[in-house]
């Protein structure tokens, strides 16, 4: 068993390092966010000053509690949210006693006693016991199936319940409740959120934003009942549902209570410490006993208790200063909140209740789902509520905390920092430069701009290096853009730019997104945006087509193509020209035509007054000047003559160019037109990362220019040379020779396998030429030539995917070929209706 497994099994574990000499002993009760951060701050100031022992009631190392929501949602594993692993305790000589709660404090003897009976003496005691979830005292609250959302044990319980499916009720429409509801929905449960007030998250959001949030959650399939008061949780030996005061009953096999928290003060109270709403502390977090300190959610400072992490970081700094005899007292915190429910960006800070002298500056953009409200009083920001676009949250919060006079930028304030700092021009760099050193960059880990810059100056030259050193951007990732801007600002050209993010809506790269789509079995564009924390509600013109493509590729036959996520040419099956009319290129297989097709084209040209017909570089006829409203009729007329359009304009196979080959040419070695037709029929309709061109030349004179195509066949006396990765566009590139094969069938199978490898591995909008240069031709050869089994599987996957396009890809395979492919990965055959139709 490793440490985590033992911890989960509930075995208390002690990590112990014997001290070399007697030092003051600091005992920490609570191995959570504040307790461990306080120790980190102390170590940073004077690592040798105290011997440290930490007791934790939970059987785990120190983890990031705010990331429990992503764990519930399946976006992170427990290992990924650990803040300080086993090594941290060992390396810093800290004794961790996990899974053993402290049950008594003897302040006279200066000892603590744990549930196991273990007793430890202290010189200084730090209480960091956090909060207890509040349980509403209704009948049925103790039934099995009623749980809270506070720690890993609760997440495990929810996951076990969700594994059985069914209905869940979440009581409480605040931050925690909504994150629980989101996670359970993603885990397949039918979730109803019950909220007492008339809008969700009413403590953080104004009515307008609360309403937008409710609408979005309902759109995602959750039922949200506001002004709903729980009367009873009913069930026979286990939860069966919730009854509301108005008599409504909601069935549920799981009820999550997320109605609030209370500082966990029982231990301190028993020990006789002064208690108000929390454990009372002074500006150095010292309780009524000078040898006992307290920090985190369990404390009350200056009449305030806190339920968010940001204030804890401030408290921990002051506490550590006090422990090493420095004097920077804690003065209280203003907190801001972000909802981590993926794809729904919500931010709020300060006071948004309005009132006398408060002016509201509001921006509403309903079509983008954006709502921003900044509340200004006496030329200073006192509150901000952002929905849909929270990029400027930290900036507003910084101005708010500093009480800066915003009268000079008032007109631009609502458009965000990039505009305000750039004097009306969007200038993201200027925006980050304008942030003060103590402006918060990473809310999850409490990292300021100054800290990030210091860490970059000390040698962290990439986002990963920053994450590893100061933890900024290491949790939810929403501040990655800010960290990147700081890298660019601090290092200029020396920034190690990793792979580019897909677009401004996400901090993930194309490869990350693609990997996650497959790994997490995502099935729709909204699901990807939701699970991967898209920063915009509906994505943009860069990411939507890419996501549509990745899903199409991952789920052939299953995923329904999202036409709205396609470029206009693909939607219209025609090419838009500069005067707004369209050009139409009917497909002519292999570049061969006949009188019937030519007549149909001529008829269309006359009937729709097309001003020009042009032979294309790909050997097809292009009819120019078709009005948009005539396009459906044009296609109908051409289809009547057996001509299809299909993907001639899209990110897909364009044409297969051929020369006349052995049938007519004196030099022709093989039937290049025949092979071209077969390849075109096999491959048309296959969506790809970018446009894809093929050519088949009948002899090495190469009249079809096969060596500047994505896939080219050059026929030779002894067979077929297969070429890949050519391009005749702006950046001309000659193909690489893949291999030589003996038969037409082999040429077709290699072609299918090559296209499938490209479809599965190239990034959206990456042509084959740059893809091959990126991965190397040796890699492609290894996959297609050396790995015979892998190649057959690729061919099979291509043909399988193709069976969902308009054509039956088997139709043109060699006569007598079986209509199924047996591969080590299974038997592939066309979708059933095609097979039946063919019989
Ligand atoms: C699901 C979830 C999502 C959240 N999301 C956000 C967010 O997005 N933003 C934000 O700002 N805040 C968020 N929070 C709140 C944030 O996690 C807390 O503010 C923070 O964890 C408080 O830190 P703490 O150390 O005071 O308490 P905790 O992190 O709860 O640590 C207290 C620890 O003390 C232990 N303990 C208690 N009594 C004893 C005892 N007698 N002996 C030994 N150990 C004991 C507890 O088991 C616990 O491990 C979220 C909280 C949850 C539960």
């Amino acid at each position: 068993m490793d440490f985590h497994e033992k911890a989960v099994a509930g075995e208390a574990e002690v990590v112990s390092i014997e001290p070399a000499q007697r030092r003051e002993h600091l005992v920490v009760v609570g191995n959570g966010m504040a307790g461990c951060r306080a120790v980190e701050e102390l170590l940073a100031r004077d690592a040798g000053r105290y011997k440290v022992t930490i007791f934790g009631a939970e059987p785990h190392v120190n983890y990031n509690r705010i990331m429990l929501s992503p764990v519930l949602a399946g976006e992170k594993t427990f290992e990924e949210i650990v803040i300080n692993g086993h090594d941290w305790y060992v390396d810093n000589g800290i004794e961790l006693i996990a899974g053993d709660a402290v049950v008594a404090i003897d302040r006279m003897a200066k000892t603590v006693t744990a549930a196991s009976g273990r007793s430890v003496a202290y010189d200084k005691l730090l209480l960091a016991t956090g909060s207890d979830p509040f349980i509403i005292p209704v009948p049925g609250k103790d039934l099995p199936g009623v749980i809270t959302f506070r720690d890993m044990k609760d997440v495990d319980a929810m996951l076990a319940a969700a594994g059985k499916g069914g209905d869940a009720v979440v009581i409480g429409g605040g931050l925690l409740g909504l994150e629980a509801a989101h996670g359970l929905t993603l885990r397949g449960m039918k979730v109803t959120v019950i909220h007492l007030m008339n809008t969700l998250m009413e403590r953080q959001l104004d009515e307008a934003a609360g309403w937008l949030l409710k609408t979005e959650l309902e759109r995602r399939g959750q039922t949200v009942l506001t002004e709903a008061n729980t009367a009873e949780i009913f069930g026979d030996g286990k939860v069966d549902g919730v009854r509301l005061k108005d008599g409504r009953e909601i069935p549920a096999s799981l009820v999550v209570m997320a109605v609030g928290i209370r500082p966990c003060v029982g231990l301190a109270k028993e020990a006789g410490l002064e208690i108000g709403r929390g454990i009372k502390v002074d500006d150095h977090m010292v309780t009524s006993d000078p040898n006992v300190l307290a920090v985190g959610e369990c404390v009350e400072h200056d009449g305030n208790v806190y339920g968010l992490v940001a204030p804890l970081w401030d408290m921990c700094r002051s506490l550590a200063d006090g422990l090493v005899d420095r004097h920077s007292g804690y003065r209280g915190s203003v907190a801001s909140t972000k909802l981590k429910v993926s794809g729904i960006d919500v931010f709020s800070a300060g006071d948004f209740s309005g009132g006398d002298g408060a002016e509201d500056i509001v921006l509403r953009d309903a079509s983008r789902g954006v709502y921003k409200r900044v509340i200004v009083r006496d030329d200073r920001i006192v509150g901000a509520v952002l929905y849909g676009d929270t990029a400027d949250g930290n900036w507003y919060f910084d101005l708010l905390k500093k009480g800066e006079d915003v009268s000079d930028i008032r007109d631009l304030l609502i458009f965000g920092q990039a505009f305000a700092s750039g004097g009306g021009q969007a200038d993201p760099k200027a925006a980050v430069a304008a942030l003060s050193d103590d402006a918060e960059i990473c809310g999850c880990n409490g990292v300021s701009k100054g800290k990030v810059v210091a860490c970059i100056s000390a040698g962290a030259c990439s986002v990963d290096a920053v994450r590893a050193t100061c933890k900024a951007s290491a949790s939810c990732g929403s501040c990655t853009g800010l960290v990147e801007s700081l890298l660019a600002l601090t290092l200029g050209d020396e920034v190690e730019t990793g792979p580019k993010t897909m677009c401004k809506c996400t901090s993930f790269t194309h490869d990350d997104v693609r990997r996650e789509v497959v790994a997490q079995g995502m099935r729709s564009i909204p699901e990807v945006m939701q699970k991967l924390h898209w920063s915009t509600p509906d994505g943009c013109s860069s990411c939507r087509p890419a996501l549509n493509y990745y899903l199409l590729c991952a789920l052939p036959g299953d995923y329904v193509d999202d036409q709205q996520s396609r470029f206009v040419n693909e939607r219209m099956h025609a090419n838009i020209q500069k005067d707004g009319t369209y050009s139409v290129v009917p497909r002519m297989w292999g570049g061969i035509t006949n009188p019937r097709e030519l007549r149909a084209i001529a008829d269309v040209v006359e009937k729709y007054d097309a001003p020009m017909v042009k032979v294309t570089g790909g050997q097809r006829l292009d009819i120019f000047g078709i009005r948009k409203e005539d396009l459906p009729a044009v296609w109908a007329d051409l289809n009547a003559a057996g001509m299809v359009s299909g993907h001639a304009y899209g990110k897909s196979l364009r044409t297969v160019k051929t020369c006349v080959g052995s049938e007519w040419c004196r030099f022709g070695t093989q039937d290049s037109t025949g092979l071209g037709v077969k390849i075109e029929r096999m491959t048309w309709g296959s969506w790809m990362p970018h446009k894809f061109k093929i050519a088949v030349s009948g002899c090495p004179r190469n009249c079809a220019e096969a060596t500047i195509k994505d896939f080219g066949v050059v026929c030779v006396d002894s067979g077929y040379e297969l070429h890949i990765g050519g391009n005749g566009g702006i950046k001309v590139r000659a193909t690489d020779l893949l291999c030589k094969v003996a038969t037409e069938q082999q040429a077709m199978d290699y072609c299918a396998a090559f296209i499938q490898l490209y479809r599965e591995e190239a990034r959206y909008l990456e042509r084959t030429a740059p893809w091959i240069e990126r991965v190397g031709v040796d890699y492609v050869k290894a996959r297609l030539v050396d790995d015979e089994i892998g190649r057959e599987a690729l061919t099979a996957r291509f043909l399988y995917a193709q069976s969902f396009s308009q054509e039956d890809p088997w139709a043109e395979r060699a006569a007598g070929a079986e209509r199924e492919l047996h591969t080590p990965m299974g038997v592939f055959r066309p979708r059933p209706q095609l097979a039946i139709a063919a019989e």
Side-chain angles (χ1 to χ4, degrees):
M1 270 197 212
D2 68 11
F3 183 77
H4 176 61
E5 286 166 339
K6 283 181 189 166
V8 171
E11 292 176 18
E13 172 133 348
V14 181
V15 179
S16 176
I17 295 286
E18 284 308 312
Q21 79 248 10
R22 164 82 185 134
R23 292 171 290 166
E24 275 194 281
H25 192 184
L26 172 69
V27 172
V28 183
V29 181
N31 188 36
M33 308 260 312
C36 288
R37 176 55 82 97
V39 173
E40 280 181 11
E41 293 284 352
L42 179 61
L43 293 173
R45 283 161 181 74
D46 188 349
R49 173 88 173 251
Y50 292 89
K51 174 195 172 195
V52 180
T53 298
I54 304 179
F55 278 91
E58 291 182 70
H60 300 291
V61 289
N62 172 223
Y63 64 87
N64 193 339
R65 193 170 306 285
I66 75 176
M67 299 308 283
L68 284 176
S69 308
V71 174
L72 176 65
E75 293 159 5
K76 298 255 178 197
T77 61
F78 176 79
E79 284 68 27
E80 285 171 324
I81 67 164
V82 165
I83 302 176
N84 288 304
H86 204 213
D87 292 350
W88 177 76
Y89 298 91
V90 174
D91 293 348
N92 290 294
I94 298 165
E95 184 178 33
L96 169 66
I97 302 169
D100 197 5
V102 170
V103 291
I105 303 169
D106 183 339
R107 291 202 286 128
M108 294 300 288
K110 290 175 73 178
T111 59
V112 295
T113 305
S116 63
R118 182 188 280 118
S119 180
V120 174
Y122 66 80
D123 297 299
K124 294 275 182 211
L125 178 65
L126 171 59
L127 300 177
T129 49
S131 295
D132 292 322
F134 181 66
I135 309 278
I136 42 173
V138 287
K141 68 179 173 46
D142 297 320
L143 279 171
V146 181
I147 45 188
T148 55
F149 188 16
R150 181 71 197 177
D151 55 27
M152 199 53 213
K153 169 176 58 52
D154 296 329
V155 172
D156 284 338
M158 280 191 250
L159 292 180
K164 296 184 198 135
D167 298 83
V169 164
V170 174
I171 306 180
L175 181 115
L176 276 195
L178 296 186
E179 292 191 354
H182 171 71
L184 292 171
T185 306
L186 288 184
R187 295 283 181 177
M189 296 197 87
K190 192 169 167 295
V191 180
T192 302
V193 176
I194 295 177
H195 192 54
L196 189 59
M197 310 308 283
N198 67 345
T199 53
L200 296 173
M201 288 182 71
E202 76 288 345
R203 282 179 27 218
Q204 291 91 9
L205 300 182
D206 62 11
E207 265 191 40
W211 182 84
L212 283 172
L213 179 59
K214 177 170 182 272
T215 312
E216 178 58 25
L217 293 174
E218 286 169 341
R219 198 182 67 78
R220 290 173 180 215
Q222 291 174 24
T223 304
V224 180
L225 305 178
T226 47
E227 295 181 279
N229 201 347
T230 306
E232 181 193 359
I233 300 171
F234 59 87
D236 189 6
K238 60 164 189 49
V239 167
D240 286 328
V242 173
R243 188 168 297 119
L244 301 179
K245 288 234 162 107
D246 60 15
R248 275 181 291 178
E249 281 186 4
I250 302 122
S253 54
L254 173 73
V255 172
V256 181
M257 283 242 199
V259 289
I261 48 172
R262 281 184 171 169
C264 175
V265 297
L267 186 65
K269 201 172 181 179
E270 280 289 306
L273 293 169
E274 201 176 322
I275 307 291
R277 291 162 65 207
I279 307 167
K280 287 199 168 186
V281 291
D282 68 10
D283 292 354
H284 282 108
M285 318 315 293
V286 180
T287 67
S288 51
D289 177 338
N291 291 316
V292 182
L293 303 103
V295 73
E297 280 185 354
C298 61
V299 307
E300 175 189 324
H301 173 266
D302 202 14
N304 296 311
V305 293
Y306 297 96
L308 294 166
V309 287
L312 315 185
W313 312 141
D314 298 336
M315 288 182 199
C316 289
R317 279 189 282 272
S318 303
L319 173 130
D321 278 347
L323 278 175
V324 297
D325 312 321
R326 290 193 205 152
H327 298 287
S328 75
Y330 176 62
R331 302 273 178 267
S333 307
V334 192
S336 65
T337 314
K338 263 188 191 168
L339 184 69
K340 298 185 297 300
V341 166
S342 325
I344 305 182
D345 287 319
V346 171
F347 173 93
S348 91
D351 176 10
F352 50 84
S353 55
D356 280 354
E359 301 166 70
D360 276 358
I361 309 175
V362 178
L363 182 148
R364 274 196 188 85
D365 184 344
S367 62
R368 277 177 61 224
V370 171
Y371 167 84
K372 297 183 180 187
R373 179 168 159 232
V374 176
I375 302 96
V376 176
R377 187 179 288 130
D378 299 331
D379 292 328
R380 278 158 181 84
I381 295 180
V382 292
V385 180
L386 309 177
Y387 182 95
D389 176 0
T390 55
D392 288 303
N394 285 353
W395 180 57
Y396 292 129
F397 187 44
D398 192 39
L399 293 173
L400 182 155
K401 280 194 293 187
K402 297 212 165 67
E404 294 222 353
D405 187 329
V406 292
S407 48
D408 282 354
I409 52 169
R410 195 184 183 289
D411 291 351
L412 296 171
L413 199 57
I414 201 71
F415 301 108
Q417 188 186 14
F419 277 90
S421 310
Q425 303 286 317
D427 184 352
K429 257 196 184 172
V432 183
L435 281 176
S436 62
D437 272 359
D438 54 358
E440 186 176 84
I441 297 293
C442 174
C444 297
N445 293 298
V447 191
S448 65
K449 174 184 162 186
K451 260 197 184 170
V452 177
V453 171
C455 143
I456 296 170
S457 307
C461 296
S462 65
V463 174
D464 280 344
V466 171
R467 284 179 183 153
T469 33
C470 69
K471 295 189 186 145
S473 151
S475 292
C476 80
S478 64
C479 61
T480 306
L482 286 176
V483 171
E484 281 171 350
S485 298
L486 285 174
L487 277 161
L489 209 62
T490 317
L491 296 178
D493 294 341
E494 287 166 45
V495 186
E496 283 172 19
T497 45
K500 273 208 163 125
T501 59
M502 187 181 247
C503 64
K504 65 177 181 8
C505 308
T506 175
S507 54
F508 287 98
T509 63
H510 278 266
D511 296 343
D512 292 336
V513 172
R514 201 155 198 195
R515 190 190 56 244
E516 291 304 314
V517 162
V518 176
Q520 297 191 37
M522 301 180 199
R523 309 194 72 79
S524 68
I525 293 177
E527 187 186 350
V528 178
M529 293 181 173
Q530 204 177 348
K531 284 192 168 167
L532 299 184
H533 300 283
W534 241 242
S535 64
T536 47
D538 289 313
C540 67
S541 58
S542 293
C543 59
R544 286 197 73 91
L547 293 182
N548 191 46
Y549 170 71
Y550 293 145
L551 285 158
L552 263 175
C553 186
L555 303 165
D558 237 2
Y559 173 73
V560 181
D561 187 16
D562 179 13
Q563 285 291 307
Q564 291 316 308
S565 296
R566 289 198 171 276
F567 295 120
V568 61
N569 291 352
E570 295 179 329
R571 290 204 305 268
M572 308 306 295
H573 284 297
N575 213 356
I576 191 160
Q577 300 297 337
K578 70 180 195 183
D579 64 352
T581 62
Y582 288 78
S583 73
V584 168
V585 187
R587 194 169 281 287
M588 290 174 173
W589 308 107
I592 300 174
T593 187
N594 56 39
R596 186 166 171 245
E597 289 179 352
L598 289 172
R599 260 187 222 108
I601 290 173
D603 288 345
V604 161
V605 172
E606 284 184 352
K607 186 169 167 190
Y608 300 96
D609 276 338
M612 186 168 88
V613 185
K614 169 94 178 62
V615 179
T616 69
Q619 302 176 331
R620 306 295 186 268
L621 289 175
D622 199 348
I623 311 167
F624 280 83
I626 301 292
R627 288 177 296 273
K628 185 177 174 185
E629 58 274 22
D630 290 334
L631 282 172
V634 167
W635 277 121
D637 289 0
L638 291 167
N639 283 350
M643 302 178 91
V644 295
S645 91
H647 314 264
Y649 323 86
K651 311 296 170 214
S652 59
L653 174 80
R654 293 290 172 92
T655 59
V656 180
K657 191 171 176 176
T658 60
C659 67
V660 287
S662 59
E663 203 181 347
W664 297 94
C665 177
R666 284 172 295 135
F667 305 105
T669 60
Q670 314 281 354
D671 178 14
S672 52
T673 37
L675 178 57
V677 171
K678 286 179 188 163
I679 290 182
E680 185 157 351
R681 286 198 181 273
M682 176 181 78
T683 53
W684 83 283
S686 49
W687 293 114
M688 304 204 205
H690 210 305
K691 62 185 172 189
F692 194 97
K693 297 180 180 180
I694 300 178
V696 185
S697 285
C699 78
R701 285 173 182 76
N702 194 11
C703 295
E705 296 152 353
T707 47
I708 51 163
K709 301 296 178 205
D710 296 282
F711 186 83
V713 181
V714 177
C715 303
V716 290
D717 284 330
S718 54
Y720 306 82
E721 279 179 8
L722 307 182
H723 295 257
I724 53 171
N727 185 21
I730 296 175
K731 202 173 165 208
V732 180
R733 182 183 194 270
T735 46
D736 293 298
L737 177 65
L738 177 68
C739 61
K740 203 178 130 195
V741 296
T743 67
E744 258 193 4
Q745 189 58 65
Q746 285 173 317
M748 289 176 68
D749 285 356
Y750 269 85
C751 174
F754 174 69
I755 294 178
Q756 187 63 13
L757 186 66
Y758 170 59
R759 296 178 77 230
E760 289 179 6
E761 299 195 359
R763 295 167 190 154
Y764 187 66
L765 294 189
E766 187 174 37
R767 291 288 304 267
T768 56
W771 169 60
I772 287 179
E773 279 177 8
R774 179 165 65 81
V775 299
V777 69
D778 288 344
Y779 167 77
V780 181
K781 282 185 181 171
R783 293 290 304 273
L784 298 181
V785 182
D786 306 343
D787 178 4
E788 198 179 327
I789 291 174
R791 183 186 67 244
E792 280 180 14
L794 282 164
T795 305
R797 288 206 292 279
F798 176 78
L799 293 172
Y800 174 74
Q802 275 297 82
S803 70
F804 295 95
S805 78
Q806 297 94 324
E807 284 286 287
D808 176 359
W810 261 263
E812 300 302 322
R813 288 176 66 79
E818 273 195 53
R819 295 181 62 79
E820 55 184 34
L821 274 182
H822 294 258
T823 79
M825 299 172 73
V827 180
F828 288 80
R829 51 177 74 87
R831 62 187 161 135
Q833 59 268 44
L834 278 182
I836 291 162
E839 272 161 15

